[in-house]
Amino acid sequence: MQYDRGLPAYSEYPTELPETFPIGTLRTRPLVNVGELQAHLKLLGAIHKLKQIVQVQQNGIAVTNKDQAWVIFVNRAVHRFYLWAMSSWSRVSPWLDETIIPPLDVIMVWHSYLLNPRAYCEDSQRMNTTYCMNLQAIQSMPLLLISSLIDAQTLEALPPSAERRGFFEATTSLPFAPPLVTSFSEVVALDCPFCLQKNHNIRWIAENERAFAQTQFEHQCEWCGGVFNKTNMGVRRFAAEVTWKRTGKWSIYRTETLLDPRTGRVDTAEADAFTTRVFKHLDETAKINTPITQDRANFEANYLATLLKYDYETLSINLHHSVRPNYTKTPNRSPLPRIKRISVAYSHDGLASLDLVGAILRQGAFVEKMVHLGWTQPGRFDLHQNLAPLVRSIARYHAFLELMHYCPATFLVPTLDIDLAWHSHQLKGEAYRNDTLYYIGRTPDHEDSVESSVISKGYDNTAKSVEKRFGVPY
């Protein structure tokens, strides 16, 4: 989320960062540096180049529909990310060295995931699974290392070392090179949410637009005959989490319950209290707090998913019913934001609490803006005398944080240069959370799906706050 009015005008500006910046009553060393912004811009340029390569393919859907070709590619990249993140590599190689860095398409998914810091933080801690442990191991993106794996002139990924290629292919059983073209015959294997049997012949694309990488996806199970979609898969995942917790074997917190909604801090006591309050109706209906033995887990999960009609809107209604008993009878009902976020988190097929495909496509707008400004152009910031815009970006970001400190209730909207520094800080994961909690008392999320009218109003309020606080135009 940023205001699309380009960059502020500037004349002379230093090419070196000061030693410290003020935030509130404190001072801090720069929370991001010029080298990190340079590396980040190089990565953005590489992602843009990857998109161009996908869209200029001379066969496949790219020939007739370049945008759809990219959407299909992103869907496959997300699938590749999940297979990588679900592997057991963090137990063997916990350090982010070159060997463990995945291909560029998977890095792109990882990048967009980290730019949703609250979702990423909660996803990494709410269960004690291999996936969550891996997220913790990769919670800080090594921008400088990743930048070194990208050709400085072409912005294409450099050929991987044999060790790096072998590591990815051994842990995912996928080729290192991403699939630039998807044919109508290519398939993916997925579990049916109804019978849990593996379906091996689910197509990525189909002429009827109902394949897995397309918006109208639905598939008839090869075993039970049921027709399922991504929402069905998401609600079955919710039912499985609830049931695993009932067995006592797993420590599980549902999405949108573990973090304090105001500060973003992990608060297990409040999570338990909130879950008890909001899941009261489901407990009365399906006894979701009653302990069960592990051999009954699948049966109970199927029962709960069936009760919810494998539908996230039905899940939302059940959760609202605990705090608004007449919710289902209210015409034009207005859902409570936090409860709505819980149900939406289980409206898609992936393990993440947000739709990573949508997150990448939205982030693409920011990438295009950086490209349009020329900031991703090879060599743009190589010379020391050309670094002033990046230094200014970092300085303005620290001022933006100070504004957050003094205006906690104001919806603040960054400009493009501030947003670049903000994104770069978010990619530091735990450091971003610790820094923001320490200096402004909360970890601000980065909302990229706000309506344009809200952004415009927020920008005006931000501009007024900047002029009042700092005496300069925004």
Side-chain angles (χ1 to χ4, degrees):
M1 172 203 67
Q2 71 286 317
Y3 193 66
D4 193 12
R5 192 181 282 179
L7 298 177
Y10 64 92
S11 53
E12 295 297 325
Y13 204 82
T15 55
E16 297 280 353
L17 288 171
E19 289 190 8
T20 62
F21 289 102
I23 300 179
T25 60
L26 303 172
R27 297 194 71 88
T28 176
R29 295 182 63 82
L31 300 175
V32 289
N33 60 49
V34 170
E36 289 164 341
L37 264 61
Q38 289 172 311
H40 192 183
L41 286 167
K42 190 176 178 183
L43 172 59
L44 297 182
I47 291 171
H48 181 260
K49 184 63 177 285
L50 178 61
K51 181 178 180 180
Q52 288 181 317
I53 292 172
V54 170
Q55 293 185 324
V56 299
Q57 296 300 305
Q58 295 301 306
N59 52 5
I61 287 179
V63 176
T64 57
N65 192 325
K66 297 184 184 303
D67 289 338
Q68 189 177 13
W70 178 243
V71 171
I72 291 166
F73 180 86
V74 169
N75 271 271
R76 298 194 70 171
V78 169
H79 179 70
R80 283 160 57 85
F81 170 83
Y82 280 133
L83 290 180
W84 175 66
M86 289 167 60
S87 303
S88 57
W89 45 259
S90 67
R91 300 183 184 185
V92 179
S93 178
W95 307 112
L96 283 173
D97 58 12
E98 180 183 339
T99 301
I100 207 171
I101 301 298
L104 181 57
D105 63 319
V106 177
I107 292 173
M108 173 183 68
V109 182
W110 178 19
H111 173 265
S112 288
Y113 201 172
L114 284 170
L115 294 182
N116 292 269
R118 289 206 185 192
Y120 190 96
C121 174
E122 186 174 58
D123 286 352
S124 72
Q125 299 189 50
R126 66 186 191 86
M127 293 190 285
N128 53 351
T129 62
T130 299
Y131 175 73
C132 294
M133 287 191 299
N134 286 349
L135 291 188
Q136 291 176 39
I138 60 170
Q139 64 180 298
S140 178
M141 177 170 278
L143 280 172
L144 299 181
L145 172 58
I146 289 173
S147 173
S148 72
L149 304 176
I150 298 169
D151 188 283
Q153 296 304 314
T154 67
L155 295 180
E156 294 181 22
L158 292 169
S161 65
E163 293 79 12
R164 184 179 170 212
R165 178 191 295 274
F167 183 86
F168 180 81
E169 294 183 347
T171 54
T172 65
S173 298
L174 295 172
F176 187 91
L180 300 178
V181 177
T182 298
S183 69
F184 286 98
S185 62
E186 290 184 84
V187 296
V188 60
L190 301 170
D191 293 335
C192 169
F194 306 136
C195 69
L196 304 185
Q197 294 295 319
K198 185 76 71 179
N199 282 238
H200 294 277
N201 298 305
I202 298 177
R203 293 187 180 185
W204 282 107
I205 56 173
E207 292 181 356
N208 64 3
E209 302 287 327
R210 298 186 185 280
F212 189 64
Q214 297 169 310
T215 55
Q216 301 178 52
F217 166 68
E218 62 178 26
H219 178 78
Q220 184 171 20
C221 177
E222 301 153 18
W223 300 88
C224 69
V227 177
F228 64 88
N229 56 34
K230 292 183 180 181
T231 291
N232 302 148
M233 297 169 73
V235 174
R236 181 57 174 77
R237 176 165 53 89
F238 169 83
E241 289 181 10
V242 168
T243 306
W244 290 340
K245 188 174 180 65
R246 292 177 64 186
T247 67
K249 181 180 179 181
W250 302 89
S251 173
I252 296 176
Y253 292 92
R254 258 74 71 191
T255 294
E256 284 290 337
T257 65
L258 187 56
L259 302 187
D260 180 281
R262 186 182 64 84
T263 66
R265 294 180 186 273
V266 172
D267 189 336
T268 56
E270 173 56 27
D272 290 335
F274 176 78
T275 301
T276 299
R277 185 166 64 253
V278 175
F279 285 69
K280 178 182 177 183
H281 177 68
L282 270 185
D283 185 43
E284 293 172 348
T285 305
K287 303 293 186 289
I288 63 171
N289 289 328
T290 302
I292 59 172
T293 55
Q294 291 185 39
D295 61 310
R296 288 188 56 82
N298 280 340
F299 173 83
E300 293 291 343
N302 287 341
Y303 170 73
L304 178 58
T306 302
L307 181 71
L308 297 172
K309 302 178 182 178
Y310 287 85
D311 175 61
Y312 80 95
E313 292 183 349
T314 302
L315 169 61
S316 178
I317 289 172
N318 275 270
L319 298 182
H320 276 91
H321 194 75
S322 297
V323 291
R324 290 182 176 177
N326 296 322
Y327 181 77
T328 56
K329 300 178 182 179
T330 305
N332 300 319
R333 58 182 180 266
S334 177
L336 296 170
R338 191 177 182 187
I339 294 179
K340 181 181 178 180
R341 290 196 300 271
I342 294 174
S343 57
V344 169
Y346 295 98
S347 65
H348 57 88
D349 61 295
L351 293 176
S353 59
L354 72 155
D355 175 9
L356 289 177
V357 172
I360 294 165
L361 296 178
R362 290 191 300 274
Q363 177 63 17
F366 179 76
V367 175
E368 293 290 340
K369 291 169 186 174
M370 289 290 105
V371 172
H372 179 71
L373 289 170
W375 281 26
T376 63
Q377 184 178 348
R380 173 66 176 84
F381 297 111
D382 284 356
L383 298 178
H384 187 268
Q385 60 263 33
N386 295 335
L387 295 180
L390 299 187
V391 171
R392 193 171 195 269
S393 170
I394 294 169
R396 282 164 52 82
Y397 172 58
H398 286 81
F400 190 73
L401 289 175
E402 173 148 332
L403 204 61
M404 285 187 177
H405 173 82
Y406 285 109
C407 306
T410 303
F411 177 64
L412 300 175
V413 176
T415 52
L416 285 171
D417 60 330
I418 293 173
D419 220 18
L420 173 65
W422 193 0
H423 285 193
S424 302
H425 194 193
Q426 287 174 327
L427 294 178
K428 295 187 175 187
E430 184 178 18
Y432 173 74
R433 293 191 295 275
N434 291 339
D435 291 340
T436 50
L437 282 170
Y438 182 72
Y439 289 107
I440 66 174
R442 67 189 189 282
T443 296
D445 214 4
H446 194 270
E447 181 58 65
D448 60 1
S449 58
V450 180
E451 294 181 3
S452 58
S453 59
V454 177
I455 292 177
S456 180
K457 183 178 179 180
Y459 179 87
D460 290 340
N461 290 335
T462 306
K464 292 175 183 176
S465 298
V466 166
E467 293 194 32
K468 180 178 179 180
R469 176 73 192 169
F470 304 111
V472 296
Y474 192 38

